[in-house]
Amino acid sequence: MSVQKVNINVAGKYEPSVVTLEKGVPAELTFTRTKDQGCLDVVHSKDLDFETQLPLNVSKTVKVSTDKAGEFKYSCGMDMFSGKVVIK
């Protein structure tokens, strides 16, 4: 089965900030932090059950469950910057 793969650049914000995934197809989000900005060194999501450190200029991949449709938020360590995963 194929895997949905999305690259997210982290440089003062998440780009793209909204990611759309297909329900029931395994998915991976790869975050790459390219600017040294405080709280963006962590990304986490209670909704999607992940938290990971984002070292500067190192890609980090998290697996995302696509079992349920809906909109799920992720954010930086201080919840100042956020993005959204939409599962359809």
Side-chain angles (χ1 to χ4, degrees):
M1 179 181 269
S2 64
V3 176
Q4 301 173 88
K5 295 183 180 193
V6 179
N7 294 314
I8 299 171
N9 187 42
V10 183
K13 62 182 178 177
Y14 298 106
E15 187 64 41
S17 61
V18 178
V19 173
T20 302
L21 299 172
E22 188 178 330
K23 183 180 177 212
V25 178
E28 296 177 349
L29 304 179
T30 299
F31 294 89
T32 306
R33 184 168 67 106
T34 58
K35 282 195 177 167
D36 191 11
Q37 200 170 355
C39 62
L40 286 166
D41 62 351
V42 172
V43 64
H44 68 110
S45 173
K46 193 172 105 179
D47 296 340
L48 297 169
D49 192 34
F50 71 80
E51 179 169 341
T52 190
Q53 297 285 325
L54 297 178
L56 197 56
N57 298 315
V58 176
S59 296
K60 295 291 280 241
T61 300
V62 294
K63 293 184 187 306
V64 174
S65 172
T66 58
D67 294 345
K68 292 191 290 190
E71 295 187 358
F72 306 95
K73 186 178 161 188
Y74 61 87
S75 62
C76 67
M78 295 176 63
D79 296 325
M80 292 172 60
F81 301 94
S82 64
K84 183 168 55 174
V85 175
V86 178
I87 299 174
K88 295 183 174 187

